Amino acid sequence: DSVLAKQPGHAQATWNRALALGQLDLGLAAAEAFDRVAGLGEPGWSEEARARAAALRRDADERKASWDRGRRAGVALVRSGALPADDLVRAQPGLCRHYLYHALRTAPSRERVLSLLPLGEALDRSLGGSRMAALVRATALRPRPEAALRDTYAGLVTQTLALDASHQDAYLAQLRRKGARDLLLSAIVVLGRERRMTELLAELAQAAADPWFGAIAAGAQADALLARGEPLAAERRLLAALAECTADHADYRCVDLEQRLANLYLILFRMDAARTHAREGLRRARQAVSYRASVFLFPLAEVARGEGDFSLMRAYLRESELERPEECTVKRAVHELSAVAHLFQLEPAAARSALDRAPRCDAPITLARADVLASLARRGLGGEEAAGLGTDLEALRPTLEAGLRAHADVILGRWLALSEPARGGGLMRQALVDTEALPAWDADAAKARAYAHVSLALEAARQQDAPGVLGALAAQAGVPVPARCVLALAVDEERAAAAWRGADGSPEVHFEAVRPSPALIPAALVPARARAALAGCSTVAVLSPPPLHGMPRLLPPDLAWSYRSGGAEGSQAQGLDRRVVVSDVEPPATLGLPRLGPWSATTRDAVRVAGAAATPARVLAELADASEAQIHAHGLVALGLSEASFLALSPDAQGRYELTAGQIRQTHLRGRPVIVLGACHAARPAGALHVAWSLPDALLAAGARAVIASSAPIPDAEASSFFEAVLARIRAGSPPAAALRDERRTLLSRDPDGWAQDLMVFDTP
């Protein structure tokens, strides 16, 4: 792509791009690229490119034709009991199994049921085991439901009958009264009532003892858990169901679980896991549920965008558009997401072009489009559509939940700030008030709060209002503005702001209307004037929301500085002197985490919590009365739902291994401990703009005095002695930031660019 951006017709780059797309299983996008090679007219190469493009399209056409043939055969099976051809059963076993369940529900007699036995046996040969033949025999022994109930169900399945909501309710109630449990189980799914009838669905699926229906129930249960703000419980439920589904070779249903997991991991900002399940889901869908394959392309595009790989993102989006060219909403999403990515890359003209290609689809404006328009208006590229943004958002607002309404208000406030700063600022401040009552796990509310604080800070910086910047970012961090020795930083797309008070307490501000590069380079974010003013400070408090919160090397290593966040109200140490070391934890293998080396902490008289004993409950209990703690465990980021960031510990008897930020916030660390998170990348910032990696902040909110963490790998061999030396300085009375600086000097004298450069302190006022 970098070559083609400079020379669009470059033959070798176009050919290689086509090969890469094909190996990514993006066949239609690969065929399109081969068409371009063919169009160059080069002898030999053009003919081969044309042949490759034709083969790729033929594969896609054959998958679609096989799927369409399978659906027609399935409808015939339900209507008349006509068995599908053997080759179709071999090619589409999942689809044939799907329709066999329907045919068993609607069969008018025991004889019709038994006539389906050859299909059950053929499916068992294809899928393994004997489940389907056994199901046919068991169904033949049960009484048949009333004809009217069966006929209604058959009409719903074959789409020859439609019921409005009230008639659906009446039909389901009748099935319950008549005790037609098998029919009721399937009818809940056919009518799309899984979310409204989750408990009954789970009960019926458990009684059926069939992973096929267990997968459906698990999806509904995961939705309910997510709605209650329990994403990690949803993850456990989905993973367990996926294991059962995979063992049963029920790929047709496993596809849904893969999609749910991919989307859940996107919410949690666990990109590796999201990519794994999206890729596996795409593979399964290509084989078992071809019409569902395209649903995995957007999660894969989101992963690529989250990791800054915009070329890969566009490849997935293009394949999605080519697979569903007739769907307006797909085309809209493809180009709106492209516009967002161009803004991240500081390419406003390209963002404008992408938005021009995104249709409105005769629907209210999307928040993504509104956000892009507000940003383009700031650059003078909004056009007539941006002029009507206020009207568009007013029409959208009634359709949104509370968190998204607040987000819409922040977008409108950012847009209004261009012409009516007071009104725009007031709308953003009201959004902050409106989100106060919303739960901490509401990701939409978290985004609204973060965008409001950052936008208010940047507007203040634009007006050269240093106290305004400091106030907005202190409010975001939940702390009062320090009278001196404070640095506040924020970025939003092309804009950047810095405000500070040096040792003399004088407020100063720096505003950058257009950053030269999208790269976040720590040293470039802090103006030279700020570094000079802060040089005379004994310690510096840094206030910065994501994506800067947790960024290392922000200030020179010879300066003692820390990221400042709000702590537990009225929290005071209770004179405790108790040291805790957590190490050698055994997280589940399903997380795919590398094994940590042994932690040779030399802390005397420490309580050691290690191995299988290092469960979340045990670790939390030991931390409650600690005055000092070292935790050697992996930390996982859940940026889309920050309360679900967690330490991966050893599982308890119920299989719970995660100690989440939400759990930590609900406890009280009475000893006001200093805590070392001795995990690689424990403080690593990520590409989300609305929430920080929250474990350090959660520990501070629970009562910790300070947290020391790293954004880079920590070498086990020397880390324990280094941290012990830092903690010894803190015990002797040194502030944590100063203790880290002083001990780091010794290490950096031997290795100027060593791992200690990436250590940071997070603390409270």
Side-chain angles (χ1 to χ4, degrees):
D1 274 5
S2 60
V3 172
L4 291 170
K6 298 174 182 177
Q7 189 177 332
H10 195 286
Q12 292 93 328
T14 306
W15 176 269
N16 288 340
R17 190 174 194 278
L19 293 177
L21 288 166
Q23 293 190 20
L24 287 166
D25 203 13
L26 305 180
L28 295 178
E32 185 179 59
F34 279 124
D35 285 343
R36 294 195 182 100
V37 176
L40 297 176
E42 294 189 357
W45 291 101
S46 290
E47 288 78 0
E48 183 173 348
R50 197 171 290 109
R52 284 178 179 254
L56 288 165
R57 290 196 174 93
R58 186 166 55 251
D59 288 345
D61 291 342
E62 288 174 354
R63 279 198 303 267
K64 185 177 184 303
S66 177
W67 178 257
D68 290 342
R69 180 187 170 210
R71 293 197 68 173
R72 290 193 299 271
V75 170
L77 178 69
V78 173
R79 286 177 174 168
S80 66
L83 299 180
D86 289 344
D87 68 316
L88 185 59
V89 176
R90 290 191 296 271
Q92 296 282 353
L95 185 59
C96 291
R97 180 176 177 178
H98 170 74
Y99 278 107
L100 176 58
Y101 285 114
H102 293 318
L104 290 171
R105 304 309 193 232
T106 58
S109 65
R110 180 174 183 272
E111 290 72 24
R112 171 69 71 81
V113 172
L114 288 174
S115 74
L116 302 174
L117 185 58
L119 175 56
E121 293 172 338
L123 287 172
D124 287 336
R125 288 193 297 273
S126 179
L127 300 171
S130 58
R131 180 184 299 280
M132 300 313 297
L135 177 63
V136 173
R137 295 189 182 97
T139 303
L141 298 175
R142 292 196 288 267
R144 307 306 302 143
E146 293 178 7
L149 300 178
R150 298 195 315 268
D151 290 346
T152 297
Y153 182 82
L156 294 170
V157 169
T158 59
Q159 298 181 345
T160 58
L161 175 67
L163 298 178
D164 60 24
S166 62
H167 285 91
Q168 289 181 16
D169 291 339
Y171 177 59
L172 292 169
Q174 191 177 15
L175 291 175
R176 296 185 76 169
R177 282 197 310 272
K178 299 290 185 179
R181 292 173 66 85
D182 286 350
L183 208 52
L184 177 60
L185 170 58
S186 291
I188 291 172
V189 180
V190 170
L191 293 173
R193 295 298 189 92
E194 298 95 331
R195 289 192 181 189
R196 291 175 57 181
M197 306 179 77
T198 300
E199 291 184 10
L200 177 60
L201 176 63
E203 175 194 326
L204 294 169
Q206 185 174 15
D210 186 335
W212 184 279
F213 293 101
I216 298 171
Q221 290 170 316
D223 288 342
L225 289 165
L226 267 176
R228 295 203 300 265
E230 300 181 48
L232 300 179
E235 176 196 19
R236 283 194 296 273
R237 184 69 190 91
L238 291 171
L239 287 173
L242 182 60
E244 295 172 2
C245 183
T246 300
D248 193 55
H249 303 288
D251 276 359
Y252 186 98
R253 283 296 169 203
C254 298
V255 165
D256 179 66
L257 297 173
E258 297 282 16
Q259 182 186 2
R260 290 174 183 276
L261 281 164
N263 289 332
L264 174 61
Y265 288 129
L266 280 175
I267 292 172
L268 298 176
F269 214 80
R270 286 163 59 183
M271 292 303 185
D272 287 344
R275 176 172 40 245
T276 295
H277 286 281
R279 282 181 175 169
E280 180 61 12
L282 181 63
R283 184 194 67 78
R284 289 184 193 254
R286 293 274 195 240
Q287 293 179 350
V289 203
S290 62
Y291 84 99
R292 294 284 304 280
S294 59
V295 303
F296 292 97
L297 297 171
F298 272 95
L300 286 166
E302 287 282 10
V303 169
R305 181 171 75 96
E307 296 181 338
D309 192 340
F310 298 109
S311 288
L312 186 57
M313 180 204 77
R314 293 187 184 99
Y316 286 125
L317 292 179
R318 182 57 180 159
E319 182 74 10
S320 181
E321 189 175 13
L322 290 169
E323 285 201 0
R324 294 186 283 178
E326 73 287 350
E327 293 187 32
C328 184
T329 55
V330 170
K331 188 177 185 68
R332 179 182 65 189
V334 163
H335 293 294
E336 287 182 355
L337 188 57
S338 292
V340 171
H342 282 302
L343 287 180
F344 282 157
Q345 293 175 279
L346 307 190
E347 298 170 345
R352 175 71 265 178
S353 178
L355 206 61
D356 289 340
R357 294 193 296 275
R360 292 286 291 262
C361 300
D362 296 322
I365 195 169
T366 65
L367 283 181
R369 189 184 196 99
D371 213 1
V372 171
L373 282 170
S375 296
L376 290 175
R378 193 170 61 234
R379 305 295 295 272
L381 295 172
E384 292 184 8
E385 189 179 15
L389 189 55
T391 302
D392 276 336
L393 286 172
E394 281 301 317
L396 176 68
R397 204 172 182 279
T399 69
L400 302 175
E401 297 293 331
L404 289 174
R405 280 200 306 273
H407 193 169
D409 290 344
V410 175
I411 293 171
L412 183 57
R414 292 171 63 231
W415 176 70
L416 285 171
L418 298 172
S419 56
E420 302 176 65
R423 187 180 167 203
L427 198 56
M428 289 187 279
R429 281 185 281 271
Q430 184 59 47
L432 292 173
V433 174
D434 292 343
T435 58
E436 283 300 314
L438 298 179
W441 47 261
D442 189 325
D444 298 318
K447 290 179 182 180
R449 282 192 293 271
Y451 288 150
H453 284 303
V454 169
S455 297
L456 287 167
L458 286 161
E459 283 304 310
R462 185 169 67 90
Q463 298 170 34
Q464 293 298 299
D465 176 10
V469 178
L470 291 164
L473 297 183
Q476 187 274 338
V479 297
V481 181
R484 56 183 55 81
C485 294
V486 57
L487 170 66
L489 299 169
V491 296
D492 178 28
E493 295 169 2
E494 82 284 1
R495 299 184 297 170
W500 61 92
R501 293 181 187 269
D504 63 358
S506 300
E508 296 185 70
V509 66
H510 172 80
F511 177 66
E512 200 166 8
V514 182
R515 294 188 291 132
S517 163
L520 296 176
I521 302 170
L525 292 168
V526 183
R529 288 190 297 133
R531 287 197 295 272
L534 296 169
C537 293
S538 57
T539 60
V540 176
V542 175
L543 309 172
S544 66
L548 306 181
H549 188 83
M551 177 175 284
R553 308 186 186 211
L554 202 60
L555 290 169
D558 58 354
L559 191 62
W561 61 278
S562 63
Y563 285 104
R564 183 65 50 85
S565 297
E569 291 187 13
S571 181
Q572 293 183 349
Q574 298 185 3
L576 302 171
D577 185 13
R578 188 168 183 273
R579 297 160 194 170
V580 173
V581 175
V582 178
S583 65
D584 305 312
V585 299
E586 301 170 1
T590 53
L591 293 178
L593 299 172
R595 186 172 182 82
L596 295 171
W599 189 255
S600 56
T602 57
T603 304
R604 292 184 302 159
D605 304 322
V607 176
R608 299 296 297 266
V609 186
T615 63
R618 172 75 189 283
V619 170
L620 204 56
E622 296 294 350
L623 289 178
D625 292 322
S627 59
E628 176 188 297
Q630 299 183 51
I631 303 175
H632 189 47
H634 285 289
L636 275 78
V637 177
L639 282 178
L641 208 54
S642 64
E643 296 304 281
S645 295
F646 65 90
L647 289 168
L649 302 175
S650 302
D652 61 18
Q654 289 73 44
R656 291 180 173 84
Y657 60 86
E658 67 277 359
L659 179 55
T660 70
Q663 292 170 303
I664 292 168
R665 285 181 187 275
Q666 293 170 15
T667 194
H668 177 45
L669 304 180
R670 293 179 287 273
R672 292 276 285 155
V674 173
I675 297 177
V676 171
L677 288 178
C680 300
H681 309 294
R684 175 175 54 90
L689 300 178
H690 59 285
V691 278
W693 191 87
S694 66
L695 277 171
D697 288 335
L699 289 163
L700 297 177
R705 180 158 59 104
V707 179
I708 301 172
S710 175
S711 65
I714 294 176
D716 296 320
E718 57 182 322
S720 56
S721 59
F722 175 84
F723 286 125
E724 179 58 34
V726 172
L727 291 170
R729 289 181 181 273
I730 295 172
R731 290 179 213 131
S734 179
L740 176 62
R741 174 202 58 196
D742 294 342
E743 199 59 36
R744 180 165 51 196
R745 280 174 175 162
T746 302
L747 205 60
L748 294 180
S749 66
R750 301 194 300 269
D751 183 5
D753 198 39
W755 64 275
Q757 282 269 31
D758 297 302
L759 289 168
M760 289 159 288
V761 172
F762 302 78
D763 64 9
T764 61

